Amino acid sequence: MHRIVSLLPAATEIAAALGLMDQVVGVSHECDFPTEANERPRVTRCAVHGAELASREVDEWVRRALHDNGSIYTIDEPLLRKLQPDVILTQKLCDVCAVGYGTVAKLAQTLPGPPRVVNLEPTSLADIFDDIRRVAETCDVPERAEKLIENLSERVENVRERSTRILDRARCFLMEWVDPPFSSGHWGPELIEIAGGYDSLGRKHQPSAQIDWQQVLDARPEIIVLALCGYDTDRARHDYELLRRFPDFGSIPAVERGQVYVVNASAYFARPGPRIVDSLEILAAIFHPTEFPEFVSRGPDDRRVVRIG
């Protein structure tokens, strides 16, 4: 048995999918799935978490905090010591997503043991699957990872195989932030390709990047998906109202066709764990609903995706 502290939601979901939730003794302030995560002590905090700020204000606060402090998060060090972890799951991928790896590694060296610090740094679907293996191997359950990955891979290949038969690959724009505009990066463009779409603004296996609004107008996407980092569908709908006020928004083909969607990026697209495959299936249903009817929105109670345009 291990004593695991998870400092990011995706790692908590990976641990749960591997049947390790009973060994998770602490989580981050954002870990909310599965429901058992909400019963664990929270070892991180973020001053802006839960604040009702406009996306421009959030962006400015994050940039300022990173410049002044090097991080937007704080760790409850006394609590972490009390929990006595022997495994800490963290990441180097993004300073905006979770506590920085350097901070965690430095603190871990002062703890009894010291605990093993496991870095999860995916930029692709394959990397996400490798992270599942890494957590499983660290916690001595490697066979569970292979079974889980086999199931996830089968679902990915189901979408890939069926989408390759579709000749009409819609031009789309997967948007990670509204104000200022950010295109998608890392695994986002890969999901779009597998689901049967094409995003000329995406940065496959690279960090997402701020772009000029004119680039979106020039790309003329036929489908826009707002997968706003850390936002659920309700919060994303709020930012859609900001987007509607951007110059020439109504001239975009996606808007003219009523093909603008908001998705729960907090639970899916921005969380590189097992539910990333759910994200792929959501995109497949958006792009090609007749080909993937089993993934189409389940009605008004479906909080994964909402068509708003």
Side-chain angles (χ1 to χ4, degrees):
M1 293 285 288
H2 294 273
R3 295 182 61 82
I4 304 168
V5 166
S6 171
L7 297 183
L8 64 159
T12 300
E13 293 196 25
I14 289 172
L18 293 171
L20 299 170
M21 203 62 205
D22 60 333
Q23 300 181 38
V24 175
V25 298
V27 297
S28 79
H29 62 284
E30 291 184 306
C31 294
D32 57 5
F33 187 88
T35 55
E36 297 97 305
N38 296 305
E39 301 169 2
R40 303 298 192 269
R42 301 192 182 275
V43 299
T44 65
R45 294 187 299 273
C46 177
V48 79
H49 183 68
E52 292 297 325
L53 299 177
S55 59
R56 171 67 66 171
E57 294 173 319
V58 173
D59 179 75
E60 291 173 349
W61 184 90
V62 167
R63 292 174 188 268
R64 185 168 56 251
L66 289 175
H67 178 270
D68 294 345
N69 307 315
S71 176
I72 64 174
Y73 302 100
T74 57
I75 299 177
D76 188 335
E77 184 176 338
L79 175 58
L80 185 62
R81 293 185 179 280
K82 180 180 178 181
L83 294 174
Q84 299 182 325
D86 54 31
V87 174
I88 299 177
L89 306 178
T90 186
Q91 57 90 51
K92 286 183 181 177
L93 185 67
C94 174
D95 288 337
V96 179
C97 299
V99 180
Y101 178 85
T103 300
V104 177
K106 184 177 180 180
L107 177 56
Q109 289 301 310
T110 71
L111 300 178
R116 182 171 179 181
V117 178
V118 181
N119 172 44
L120 308 182
E121 195 175 357
T123 62
S124 66
L125 272 178
D127 290 346
I128 294 171
F129 292 168
D130 283 343
D131 282 348
I132 293 173
R133 291 190 179 94
R134 189 171 296 109
V135 173
E137 290 168 0
T138 301
C139 298
D140 304 316
V141 290
E143 70 288 345
R144 298 184 191 176
E146 296 312 314
K147 184 176 181 180
L148 174 59
I149 292 169
E150 180 181 4
N151 174 267
L152 295 173
S153 297
E154 286 177 357
R155 290 168 58 193
V156 171
E157 293 311 310
N158 170 53
V159 175
R160 190 196 308 271
E161 180 181 346
R162 291 159 64 183
S163 70
T164 56
R165 300 195 296 263
I166 301 170
L167 298 180
D168 180 21
R169 301 183 73 83
R171 296 193 313 273
C172 66
F173 175 43
L174 185 64
M175 194 172 198
E176 286 200 7
W177 200 252
V178 167
D179 190 15
F182 270 73
S183 62
S184 70
H186 300 310
W187 50 85
E190 183 180 7
L191 296 180
I192 290 170
E193 289 180 9
I194 298 171
Y198 171 69
D199 185 351
S200 64
L201 300 173
R203 292 165 51 85
K204 185 177 179 181
H205 304 161
Q206 302 176 60
S208 61
Q210 183 176 337
I211 61 174
D212 188 84
W213 176 243
Q214 186 61 46
Q215 292 177 256
V216 181
L217 297 177
D218 293 343
R220 295 186 58 76
E222 299 166 309
I223 298 174
I224 295 176
V225 180
L226 273 61
L228 307 184
C229 186
Y231 283 6
D232 61 15
T233 53
D234 288 339
R235 189 65 181 82
R237 288 181 71 142
H238 180 272
D239 273 32
Y240 169 70
E241 296 304 317
L242 295 177
L243 190 63
R244 290 180 61 192
R245 297 198 287 269
F246 278 32
D248 298 320
F249 176 71
S251 69
I252 299 174
V255 179
E256 295 175 339
R257 299 170 53 188
Q259 292 288 314
V260 182
Y261 300 81
V262 296
V263 295
N264 186 345
S266 176
Y268 299 100
F269 292 77
R271 191 172 292 196
R275 288 194 291 174
I276 204 66
V277 179
D278 294 65
S279 310
L280 171 64
E281 293 168 346
I282 290 169
L283 286 175
I286 290 173
F287 297 163
H288 307 290
T290 57
E291 178 64 31
F292 297 99
E294 71 272 34
F295 303 142
V296 172
S297 178
R298 300 161 189 164
D301 295 329
D302 187 351
R303 309 309 297 166
R304 303 175 309 156
V305 54
V306 178
R307 182 174 177 174
I308 56 175

Coordinates of all heavy atoms in Angstrom, one line a residue, residues 23-110:
Q23 N -5.8 4.6 -1.7 CA -4.4 4.9 -1.3 C -4.1 6.4 -1.5 O -3.0 6.9 -1.1 CB -3.4 4.1 -2.2 CG -3.6 2.6 -2.0 CD -2.5 1.9 -2.8 OE1 -1.4 2.2 -2.9 NE2 -3.0 0.7 -3.4
V24 N -5.1 7.2 -2.0 CA -4.9 8.6 -2.2 C -5.3 9.3 -0.9 O -6.4 9.3 -0.5 CB -5.8 9.2 -3.4 CG1 -5.7 10.7 -3.5 CG2 -5.3 8.5 -4.7
V25 N -4.3 10.0 -0.3 CA -4.5 10.6 1.0 C -4.7 12.1 1.0 O -5.0 12.7 1.9 CB -3.4 10.2 2.0 CG1 -3.4 8.7 2.2 CG2 -2.0 10.7 1.5
G26 N -4.3 12.7 -0.2 CA -4.5 14.1 -0.3 C -4.6 14.5 -1.8 O -4.0 13.8 -2.7
V27 N -5.3 15.6 -2.1 CA -5.5 16.0 -3.5 C -5.3 17.5 -3.6 O -5.2 18.2 -2.6 CB -6.9 15.6 -4.0 CG1 -7.0 14.1 -4.0 CG2 -8.0 16.3 -3.2
S28 N -5.4 18.0 -4.8 CA -5.3 19.5 -5.1 C -6.7 20.1 -4.9 O -7.7 19.4 -4.7 CB -4.8 19.7 -6.5 OG -5.9 19.6 -7.4
H29 N -6.7 21.4 -4.9 CA -7.9 22.2 -4.7 C -8.9 22.0 -5.9 O -10.1 22.2 -5.8 CB -7.6 23.7 -4.6 CG -7.0 24.3 -5.7 ND1 -5.6 24.1 -6.0 CD2 -7.5 25.1 -6.7 CE1 -5.3 24.7 -7.1 NE2 -6.4 25.3 -7.6
E30 N -8.4 21.5 -7.1 CA -9.2 21.3 -8.2 C -9.7 19.9 -8.4 O -10.5 19.6 -9.3 CB -8.4 21.8 -9.5 CG -8.2 23.3 -9.5 CD -7.6 23.7 -10.8 OE1 -6.5 23.2 -11.1 OE2 -8.1 24.6 -11.5
C31 N -9.2 18.9 -7.7 CA -9.6 17.5 -7.9 C -11.0 17.3 -7.4 O -11.3 17.5 -6.3 CB -8.6 16.6 -7.1 SG -6.9 16.7 -7.7
D32 N -11.9 16.9 -8.4 CA -13.3 16.8 -8.1 C -13.9 15.5 -8.7 O -15.1 15.3 -8.6 CB -14.1 18.0 -8.6 CG -13.9 18.2 -10.1 OD1 -13.2 17.4 -10.8 OD2 -14.3 19.2 -10.6
F33 N -13.0 14.6 -9.3 CA -13.6 13.4 -9.9 C -12.5 12.3 -9.6 O -11.3 12.5 -9.9 CB -13.8 13.6 -11.4 CG -14.5 12.4 -12.0 CD1 -15.8 12.3 -12.1 CD2 -13.7 11.4 -12.6 CE1 -16.4 11.3 -12.7 CE2 -14.3 10.3 -13.2 CZ -15.7 10.2 -13.3
P34 N -13.0 11.1 -9.2 CA -14.4 10.8 -8.9 C -14.8 11.5 -7.6 O -14.0 12.2 -7.0 CB -14.3 9.2 -8.7 CG -12.9 9.0 -8.2 CD -12.1 10.0 -9.0
T35 N -16.0 11.2 -7.2 CA -16.6 11.9 -6.0 C -15.8 11.7 -4.7 O -15.7 12.6 -3.9 CB -18.1 11.5 -5.8 OG1 -18.1 10.1 -5.6 CG2 -19.0 11.9 -6.9
E36 N -15.1 10.6 -4.6 CA -14.3 10.3 -3.4 C -13.2 11.4 -3.3 O -12.7 11.6 -2.2 CB -13.7 8.9 -3.5 CG -14.7 7.8 -3.5 CD -14.9 7.3 -4.9 OE1 -15.3 8.1 -5.8 OE2 -14.7 6.1 -5.1
A37 N -12.8 12.0 -4.4 CA -11.7 13.0 -4.3 C -12.1 14.2 -3.4 O -11.3 14.8 -2.7 CB -11.4 13.5 -5.7
N38 N -13.4 14.5 -3.4 CA -13.9 15.6 -2.6 C -13.9 15.3 -1.1 O -14.1 16.2 -0.3 CB -15.3 15.9 -3.0 CG -15.4 16.4 -4.4 OD1 -14.7 17.4 -4.8 ND2 -16.2 15.8 -5.3
E39 N -13.6 14.0 -0.7 CA -13.5 13.7 0.7 C -12.1 13.7 1.2 O -11.8 13.5 2.4 CB -14.1 12.2 0.9 CG -15.5 12.1 0.4 CD -15.9 10.6 0.4 OE1 -15.1 9.8 0.7 OE2 -17.1 10.4 0.0
R40 N -11.1 14.0 0.3 CA -9.7 14.0 0.7 C -9.2 15.4 1.1 O -9.7 16.4 0.5 CB -8.8 13.5 -0.4 CG -9.2 12.1 -0.9 CD -9.0 11.0 0.1 NE -9.1 9.7 -0.4 CZ -10.2 9.0 -0.5 NH1 -11.3 9.5 -0.1 NH2 -10.2 7.7 -1.0
P41 N -8.3 15.5 2.0 CA -7.7 16.8 2.3 C -7.1 17.5 1.1 O -6.5 16.8 0.3 CB -6.6 16.5 3.4 CG -7.0 15.1 3.9 CD -7.6 14.4 2.8
R42 N -7.2 18.8 1.0 CA -6.7 19.5 -0.2 C -5.4 20.2 0.2 O -5.4 21.0 1.2 CB -7.8 20.5 -0.7 CG -9.1 19.8 -1.1 CD -10.0 20.7 -1.9 NE -11.2 20.0 -2.2 CZ -11.4 19.2 -3.3 NH1 -10.4 19.1 -4.1 NH2 -12.5 18.6 -3.5
V43 N -4.4 19.9 -0.5 CA -3.0 20.4 -0.1 C -2.6 21.6 -0.9 O -1.5 22.1 -0.7 CB -2.0 19.2 -0.2 CG1 -2.4 18.1 0.8 CG2 -1.9 18.7 -1.6
T44 N -3.4 22.1 -1.9 CA -3.0 23.2 -2.6 C -4.1 24.3 -2.6 O -5.3 23.9 -2.3 CB -2.7 22.9 -4.1 OG1 -3.9 22.4 -4.7 CG2 -1.6 21.9 -4.2
R45 N -3.8 25.5 -2.9 CA -4.7 26.6 -3.0 C -4.3 27.5 -4.1 O -3.2 27.6 -4.5 CB -4.7 27.4 -1.7 CG -5.2 26.7 -0.4 CD -5.4 27.7 0.8 NE -4.1 28.3 1.1 CZ -3.2 27.7 2.0 NH1 -3.5 26.6 2.5 NH2 -2.1 28.4 2.2
C46 N -5.3 28.2 -4.6 CA -5.1 29.2 -5.7 C -6.0 30.4 -5.4 O -7.2 30.2 -5.2 CB -5.4 28.7 -7.0 SG -5.2 29.9 -8.4
A47 N -5.5 31.6 -5.3 CA -6.2 32.8 -4.9 C -7.3 33.1 -5.9 O -8.4 33.6 -5.5 CB -5.3 34.0 -4.8
V48 N -7.1 32.8 -7.2 CA -8.1 33.1 -8.2 C -9.2 32.0 -8.4 O -10.1 32.2 -9.1 CB -7.4 33.4 -9.5 CG1 -7.0 32.2 -10.3 CG2 -8.3 34.3 -10.4
H49 N -8.9 30.8 -7.8 CA -9.9 29.7 -8.0 C -11.2 30.1 -7.5 O -11.4 30.4 -6.3 CB -9.3 28.5 -7.3 CG -10.2 27.3 -7.5 ND1 -10.3 26.6 -8.7 CD2 -11.0 26.6 -6.6 CE1 -11.1 25.6 -8.6 NE2 -11.5 25.5 -7.3
G50 N -12.2 30.0 -8.3 CA -13.6 30.2 -7.9 C -14.0 31.7 -8.0 O -15.2 32.1 -7.7
A51 N -13.0 32.6 -8.3 CA -13.3 34.0 -8.3 C -14.1 34.3 -9.6 O -13.9 33.7 -10.7 CB -12.0 34.8 -8.3
E52 N -15.0 35.2 -9.5 CA -15.9 35.7 -10.6 C -15.2 36.8 -11.4 O -15.5 37.9 -11.3 CB -17.3 36.1 -10.1 CG -18.1 34.9 -9.6 CD -18.4 33.9 -10.6 OE1 -18.6 34.2 -11.8 OE2 -18.4 32.7 -10.2
L53 N -14.2 36.4 -12.2 CA -13.4 37.4 -12.9 C -13.7 37.2 -14.4 O -13.9 36.0 -14.9 CB -11.9 37.3 -12.7 CG -11.5 37.5 -11.2 CD1 -10.0 37.3 -11.2 CD2 -11.8 38.9 -10.8
A54 N -13.6 38.2 -15.2 CA -13.7 38.1 -16.6 C -12.4 37.4 -17.1 O -11.4 37.5 -16.5 CB -13.9 39.5 -17.3
S55 N -12.5 36.8 -18.3 CA -11.4 36.0 -18.8 C -10.1 36.9 -19.0 O -9.0 36.5 -18.8 CB -11.7 35.3 -20.1 OG -12.1 36.2 -21.1
R56 N -10.3 38.2 -19.4 CA -9.2 39.1 -19.5 C -8.6 39.3 -18.2 O -7.3 39.4 -18.0 CB -9.7 40.4 -20.2 CG -8.7 41.5 -20.2 CD -7.5 41.3 -21.1 NE -7.8 41.2 -22.5 CZ -6.9 41.2 -23.4 NH1 -5.6 41.2 -23.2 NH2 -7.3 41.1 -24.7
E57 N -9.4 39.5 -17.1 CA -8.9 39.7 -15.8 C -8.1 38.5 -15.3 O -7.1 38.6 -14.6 CB -10.0 40.0 -14.8 CG -10.7 41.4 -15.1 CD -11.9 41.6 -14.3 OE1 -12.7 40.6 -14.1 OE2 -12.1 42.7 -13.8
V58 N -8.6 37.3 -15.6 CA -8.0 36.0 -15.2 C -6.6 36.0 -15.8 O -5.6 35.7 -15.2 CB -8.8 34.8 -15.5 CG1 -8.0 33.5 -15.3 CG2 -10.1 34.8 -14.7
D59 N -6.6 36.2 -17.1 CA -5.3 36.2 -17.9 C -4.3 37.2 -17.3 O -3.1 36.8 -17.1 CB -5.6 36.5 -19.4 CG -4.3 36.5 -20.2 OD1 -3.8 35.4 -20.5 OD2 -3.8 37.6 -20.6
E60 N -4.7 38.4 -17.0 CA -3.8 39.4 -16.5 C -3.3 39.0 -15.1 O -2.2 39.2 -14.7 CB -4.5 40.7 -16.4 CG -4.8 41.3 -17.8 CD -5.6 42.6 -17.8 OE1 -6.2 42.9 -16.7 OE2 -5.7 43.3 -18.8
W61 N -4.2 38.4 -14.3 CA -3.8 38.0 -12.9 C -2.8 36.9 -13.0 O -1.8 36.9 -12.2 CB -5.1 37.5 -12.1 CG -4.8 37.2 -10.7 CD1 -4.8 38.0 -9.6 CD2 -4.3 35.9 -10.2 NE1 -4.4 37.3 -8.5 CE2 -4.1 36.0 -8.8 CE3 -4.1 34.7 -10.8 CZ2 -3.7 35.0 -8.0 CZ3 -3.7 33.6 -10.0 CH2 -3.5 33.8 -8.6
V62 N -3.0 35.9 -13.8 CA -2.1 34.8 -14.0 C -0.7 35.3 -14.4 O 0.3 34.9 -13.9 CB -2.6 33.7 -15.0 CG1 -1.6 32.7 -15.3 CG2 -3.8 33.0 -14.4
R63 N -0.7 36.1 -15.5 CA 0.6 36.6 -16.0 C 1.3 37.4 -14.8 O 2.6 37.3 -14.7 CB 0.4 37.5 -17.2 CG -0.1 36.8 -18.4 CD -0.5 37.8 -19.5 NE -1.1 37.1 -20.7 CZ -0.5 36.6 -21.7 NH1 0.8 36.7 -21.8 NH2 -1.2 36.1 -22.7
R64 N 0.6 38.2 -14.1 CA 1.2 39.0 -13.0 C 1.8 38.1 -11.9 O 2.9 38.3 -11.4 CB 0.2 40.0 -12.5 CG 0.8 41.0 -11.5 CD -0.2 42.1 -11.2 NE -1.5 41.7 -10.7 CZ -2.6 41.7 -11.5 NH1 -2.5 42.2 -12.7 NH2 -3.7 41.3 -11.0
A65 N 1.0 37.1 -11.5 CA 1.4 36.2 -10.4 C 2.6 35.4 -10.8 O 3.5 35.2 -10.0 CB 0.2 35.3 -10.1
L66 N 2.6 34.9 -12.1 CA 3.8 34.1 -12.5 C 5.0 35.0 -12.6 O 6.1 34.6 -12.3 CB 3.5 33.5 -13.9 CG 2.5 32.4 -14.0 CD1 2.2 32.0 -15.4 CD2 3.0 31.2 -13.2
H67 N 4.9 36.3 -13.0 CA 6.0 37.2 -13.1 C 6.5 37.5 -11.7 O 7.7 37.5 -11.4 CB 5.6 38.5 -13.8 CG 6.7 39.5 -13.9 ND1 6.9 40.5 -12.9 CD2 7.7 39.7 -14.8 CE1 7.9 41.2 -13.2 NE2 8.4 40.8 -14.4
D68 N 5.6 37.8 -10.8 CA 6.0 38.2 -9.4 C 6.4 37.1 -8.5 O 7.4 37.2 -7.7 CB 4.9 39.0 -8.8 CG 4.5 40.3 -9.5 OD1 5.4 40.8 -10.3 OD2 3.4 40.8 -9.3
N69 N 5.7 36.0 -8.6 CA 5.9 34.9 -7.6 C 6.5 33.6 -8.2 O 6.9 32.7 -7.5 CB 4.6 34.6 -6.9 CG 4.0 35.8 -6.3 OD1 4.7 36.6 -5.7 ND2 2.7 36.0 -6.4
G70 N 6.4 33.5 -9.6 CA 6.8 32.2 -10.2 C 5.8 31.1 -10.2 O 5.9 30.1 -10.7
S71 N 4.6 31.4 -9.5 CA 3.6 30.4 -9.4 C 2.3 31.1 -9.0 O 2.3 32.2 -8.4 CB 3.9 29.3 -8.3 OG 2.9 28.4 -8.1
I72 N 1.2 30.4 -9.4 CA -0.1 31.0 -9.0 C -0.8 30.1 -7.9 O -1.9 30.4 -7.4 CB -1.1 31.1 -10.2 CG1 -1.4 29.7 -10.7 CG2 -0.5 32.0 -11.2 CD1 -2.5 29.7 -11.8
Y73 N 0.0 29.1 -7.4 CA -0.5 28.2 -6.4 C 0.4 28.2 -5.1 O 1.5 28.6 -5.2 CB -0.5 26.8 -6.9 CG -1.4 26.6 -8.2 CD1 -0.8 26.5 -9.4 CD2 -2.8 26.5 -8.1 CE1 -1.5 26.4 -10.6 CE2 -3.5 26.4 -9.2 CZ -2.9 26.3 -10.5 OH -3.7 26.2 -11.6
T74 N -0.2 27.8 -4.0 CA 0.5 27.6 -2.8 C 0.2 26.2 -2.3 O -0.9 25.6 -2.5 CB 0.1 28.6 -1.7 OG1 -1.3 28.5 -1.5 CG2 0.5 30.0 -2.1
I75 N 1.2 25.6 -1.6 CA 1.1 24.3 -1.0 C 1.0 24.4 0.5 O 1.7 25.2 1.1 CB 2.3 23.4 -1.4 CG1 2.4 23.2 -2.9 CG2 2.2 22.0 -0.7 CD1 3.7 22.4 -3.3
D76 N 0.0 23.7 1.0 CA -0.1 23.6 2.5 C 1.0 22.7 3.0 O 0.7 21.5 3.2 CB -1.5 23.1 2.9 CG -1.8 23.2 4.4 OD1 -0.8 23.2 5.2 OD2 -3.0 23.3 4.7
E77 N 2.1 23.2 3.3 CA 3.3 22.4 3.7 C 3.0 21.6 5.0 O 3.3 20.4 5.1 CB 4.5 23.2 3.8 CG 5.8 22.4 4.1 CD 7.0 23.2 4.1 OE1 7.0 24.3 3.5 OE2 8.0 22.8 4.7
P78 N 2.5 22.2 6.0 CA 2.2 21.4 7.3 C 1.3 20.3 7.0 O 1.5 19.2 7.6 CB 1.6 22.5 8.2 CG 2.1 23.8 7.7 CD 2.2 23.7 6.2
L79 N 0.2 20.5 6.2 CA -0.7 19.4 5.9 C 0.0 18.3 5.1 O -0.1 17.1 5.4 CB -1.9 19.9 5.1 CG -2.9 18.8 4.6 CD1 -3.4 18.0 5.7 CD2 -4.0 19.5 3.8
L80 N 0.8 18.7 4.1 CA 1.6 17.7 3.3 C 2.5 16.8 4.2 O 2.5 15.6 4.1 CB 2.4 18.4 2.2 CG 3.1 17.5 1.2 CD1 2.1 16.6 0.4 CD2 4.0 18.3 0.3
R81 N 3.1 17.5 5.2 CA 4.0 16.7 6.1 C 3.2 15.7 6.9 O 3.6 14.6 7.2 CB 4.8 17.7 7.0 CG 5.8 18.5 6.2 CD 6.7 19.3 7.1 NE 7.7 20.1 6.3 CZ 8.8 19.6 5.9 NH1 9.1 18.3 6.2 NH2 9.6 20.3 5.2
K82 N 2.0 16.2 7.4 CA 1.1 15.4 8.2 C 0.7 14.2 7.4 O 0.5 13.1 8.0 CB 0.0 16.2 8.7 CG -1.0 15.5 9.6 CD -2.1 16.4 10.0 CE -3.2 15.6 10.9 NZ -4.3 16.5 11.3
L83 N 0.4 14.3 6.1 CA -0.1 13.2 5.3 C 1.0 12.1 5.1 O 0.6 11.0 4.7 CB -0.6 13.7 4.0 CG -1.9 14.6 4.1 CD1 -2.2 15.2 2.7 CD2 -3.1 13.8 4.7
Q84 N 2.2 12.5 5.2 CA 3.3 11.5 5.0 C 3.3 10.7 3.7 O 3.3 9.5 3.8 CB 3.4 10.6 6.2 CG 3.6 11.3 7.5 CD 3.7 10.3 8.7 OE1 3.1 9.3 8.8 NE2 4.6 10.7 9.7
P85 N 3.2 11.4 2.6 CA 3.1 10.6 1.3 C 4.4 9.9 1.0 O 5.5 10.4 1.4 CB 2.8 11.7 0.3 CG 3.5 12.9 0.8 CD 3.3 12.8 2.3
D86 N 4.3 8.8 0.3 CA 5.5 8.2 -0.3 C 5.5 8.3 -1.8 O 6.5 8.0 -2.4 CB 5.7 6.7 0.2 CG 4.5 5.8 -0.1 OD1 3.8 6.1 -1.1 OD2 4.3 4.9 0.7
V87 N 4.4 8.8 -2.4 CA 4.3 9.1 -3.8 C 3.6 10.4 -3.9 O 2.5 10.6 -3.3 CB 3.5 8.0 -4.5 CG1 3.3 8.4 -6.0 CG2 4.2 6.6 -4.5
I88 N 4.2 11.3 -4.7 CA 3.5 12.6 -5.1 C 3.4 12.6 -6.6 O 4.4 12.5 -7.3 CB 4.3 13.8 -4.6 CG1 4.4 13.8 -3.0 CG2 3.6 15.1 -5.0 CD1 5.3 14.9 -2.5
L89 N 2.2 12.8 -7.1 CA 1.9 12.9 -8.5 C 1.8 14.4 -8.9 O 0.9 15.1 -8.3 CB 0.6 12.2 -8.9 CG 0.5 10.7 -8.4 CD1 -0.9 10.1 -8.8 CD2 1.6 9.9 -9.0
T90 N 2.6 14.8 -9.8 CA 2.6 16.2 -10.2 C 3.0 16.4 -11.6 O 2.9 15.4 -12.4 CB 3.6 17.0 -9.3 OG1 3.5 18.4 -9.6 CG2 5.0 16.6 -9.5
Q91 N 3.4 17.6 -12.1 CA 3.6 17.8 -13.5 C 4.5 18.9 -13.8 O 4.7 19.8 -13.0 CB 2.3 18.0 -14.2 CG 1.5 19.2 -13.7 CD 1.8 20.6 -14.3 OE1 1.8 20.6 -15.6 NE2 2.1 21.6 -13.6
K92 N 5.2 18.9 -15.0 CA 6.0 20.0 -15.5 C 5.4 20.7 -16.7 O 5.9 21.7 -17.1 CB 7.4 19.4 -16.0 CG 8.3 19.0 -14.9 CD 9.6 18.6 -15.6 CE 10.6 18.1 -14.6 NZ 11.9 17.6 -15.2
L93 N 4.2 20.2 -17.1 CA 3.7 20.6 -18.4 C 3.3 22.1 -18.4 O 3.6 22.8 -19.4 CB 2.4 19.8 -18.7 CG 1.8 20.0 -20.1 CD1 2.7 19.6 -21.2 CD2 0.4 19.3 -20.2
C94 N 2.7 22.6 -17.4 CA 2.1 23.9 -17.4 C 2.0 24.6 -16.0 O 1.4 24.0 -15.1 CB 0.7 23.8 -18.0 SG -0.2 25.4 -18.0
D95 N 2.7 25.7 -15.9 CA 2.7 26.4 -14.6 C 1.3 27.0 -14.2 O 1.0 27.3 -13.1 CB 3.7 27.5 -14.6 CG 5.1 27.0 -14.5 OD1 5.3 25.9 -14.1 OD2 6.0 27.8 -15.0
V96 N 0.4 27.1 -15.2 CA -0.9 27.6 -15.0 C -1.9 26.5 -14.5 O -2.9 26.7 -13.9 CB -1.5 28.3 -16.3 CG1 -2.9 28.8 -16.1 CG2 -0.6 29.4 -16.7
C97 N -1.5 25.2 -14.8 CA -2.4 24.1 -14.6 C -2.2 23.5 -13.2 O -3.2 23.0 -12.6 CB -2.1 23.0 -15.6 SG -2.4 23.4 -17.3
A98 N -1.1 23.6 -12.6 CA -0.8 23.0 -11.3 C 0.5 23.6 -10.7 O 1.2 24.3 -11.4 CB -0.8 21.5 -11.3
V99 N 0.8 23.2 -9.5 CA 2.0 23.7 -8.8 C 3.2 23.2 -9.7 O 3.2 22.1 -10.2 CB 2.1 23.1 -7.4 CG1 3.4 23.6 -6.7 CG2 0.9 23.5 -6.6
G100 N 4.2 24.1 -9.8 CA 5.3 23.8 -10.6 C 6.1 22.7 -10.1 O 6.3 22.5 -8.9
Y101 N 6.7 21.9 -11.0 CA 7.4 20.7 -10.6 C 8.6 21.0 -9.7 O 8.9 20.3 -8.7 CB 7.9 20.0 -11.9 CG 8.7 18.7 -11.6 CD1 8.1 17.5 -11.3 CD2 10.1 18.8 -11.5 CE1 8.8 16.4 -11.1 CE2 10.9 17.6 -11.2 CZ 10.2 16.4 -11.0 OH 10.9 15.3 -10.7
G102 N 9.3 22.1 -10.0 CA 10.5 22.4 -9.2 C 10.1 22.7 -7.8 O 10.9 22.2 -6.9
T103 N 9.0 23.3 -7.6 CA 8.6 23.6 -6.2 C 8.3 22.3 -5.5 O 8.7 22.2 -4.3 CB 7.3 24.5 -6.2 OG1 7.7 25.8 -6.9 CG2 6.8 24.8 -4.8
V104 N 7.6 21.4 -6.1 CA 7.2 20.2 -5.5 C 8.4 19.3 -5.2 O 8.6 18.8 -4.1 CB 6.2 19.4 -6.4 CG1 5.9 18.0 -5.8 CG2 4.9 20.2 -6.7
A105 N 9.3 19.2 -6.2 CA 10.5 18.4 -6.0 C 11.4 18.9 -4.9 O 11.9 18.1 -4.1 CB 11.3 18.3 -7.3
K106 N 11.5 20.2 -4.8 CA 12.3 20.8 -3.7 C 11.7 20.5 -2.4 O 12.4 20.1 -1.4 CB 12.5 22.3 -4.0 CG 13.4 23.0 -2.9 CD 13.5 24.4 -3.3 CE 14.4 25.2 -2.3 NZ 14.6 26.6 -2.6
L107 N 10.4 20.7 -2.3 CA 9.7 20.4 -1.0 C 9.8 18.9 -0.6 O 10.0 18.5 0.5 CB 8.3 20.9 -1.1 CG 7.4 20.6 0.2 CD1 8.0 21.2 1.4 CD2 6.0 21.2 -0.1
A108 N 9.6 18.0 -1.6 CA 9.6 16.6 -1.4 C 10.9 16.1 -0.7 O 11.0 15.2 0.1 CB 9.4 15.9 -2.7
Q109 N 12.1 16.8 -1.1 CA 13.4 16.4 -0.6 C 13.5 16.6 0.9 O 14.4 16.1 1.6 CB 14.5 17.1 -1.3 CG 14.7 16.6 -2.8 CD 15.0 15.1 -2.8 OE1 15.9 14.7 -2.1 NE2 14.3 14.4 -3.6
T110 N 12.6 17.5 1.4 CA 12.6 17.8 2.9 C 11.7 16.9 3.7 O 11.7 17.0 4.9 CB 12.3 19.3 3.1 OG1 10.8 19.4 2.9 CG2 13.1 20.2 2.3

